[in-house]
Amino acid sequence: TSPSGRTSFGSGTTVSVTVKTTSQPESVVTLRRLDINGAGTGLMATGGAVVILENVRIGDNTLRGIFVDGGAYVDIQADTIVEDNGEGYWDTDRGGGVYCNGSNSEVTLGGRLHQNTAEKGANVYLANGCFMLAVGGSIISSEGIASPGAEKGGGAYIDNGGEFYASGGSQLVTFSHNVAYDGAGLYVKGTGRATLVNTRFLGSAAYVGAAIYATGGGTSGSPQVSMDR
């Protein structure tokens, strides 16, 4: 048990925690007071998995923190942090913190994604029908990172078919000090879509599009990026 009160495990494994379904429609799991570290991937949720993270740290995994696919759902609650995953954007291609892909896959972010690295989407990568809701008080940051966390999308990369919805309320959703070559805070491509309500960008740094970089069009009749307060 670490000083934080979390039980530490996972070192040396390919995937520390796998949640999936076989014969049943869903598998509901709550992980509480854990430090999942030192593996290739910290958490893999697929199929009908429903995973709730309460006071969990997922960190120091070499490939990524969380992998979501095939209609799974992961709830990253306010006392949970996903940090320091990926071994640089030259080793992890997409989603060092959270990688989410596939129709009906979903992630709710209430906690913090911090200092993860990948080529595309250092902290978050969404594609092909995945939806992420970031609620007030959530933070996507790379503050203190020594070099660019990503080539594209230091905070989040929303690829074709992915959707990111930030609903900050009075507490705001914060993108803080993300660094990339293109789109340090948020990178949106093609039919990817981002809706930002009560969302702020602080201290982002990039060659092109320090806060937001959008490219390749968007869904017909629907903007790639919308902002409101």
Side-chain angles (χ1 to χ4, degrees), residues 94-180:
R94 293 168 292 176
V98 176
Y99 172 96
C100 185
N101 179 72
S103 180
N104 298 316
S105 299
E106 186 173 342
V107 178
T108 297
L109 175 63
R112 186 175 185 186
L113 308 178
H114 180 60
Q115 282 194 0
N116 301 287
T117 59
E119 180 183 356
K120 298 178 180 178
N123 284 298
V124 180
Y125 176 88
L126 311 177
N128 299 320
C130 176
F131 174 79
M132 173 179 274
L133 171 65
V135 300
S138 60
I139 300 172
I140 299 173
S141 76
S142 298
E143 188 166 2
I145 199 166
S147 61
E151 182 178 337
K152 299 179 180 181
Y157 188 113
I158 317 304
D159 211 338
N160 287 298
E163 183 173 359
F164 178 84
Y165 193 103
S167 181
S170 61
Q171 297 186 63
L172 303 180
V173 171
T174 301
F175 286 78
S176 177
H177 294 84
N178 293 290
V179 183

Side-chain angles (χ1 to χ4, degrees), residues 27-53:
S27 180
V28 182
V29 174
T30 298
L31 302 176
R32 183 180 295 118
R33 292 190 295 276
L34 297 175
D35 189 330
I36 302 171
N37 63 81
T41 295
L43 167 66
M44 178 177 289
T46 61
V50 176
V51 184
I52 301 165
L53 302 175

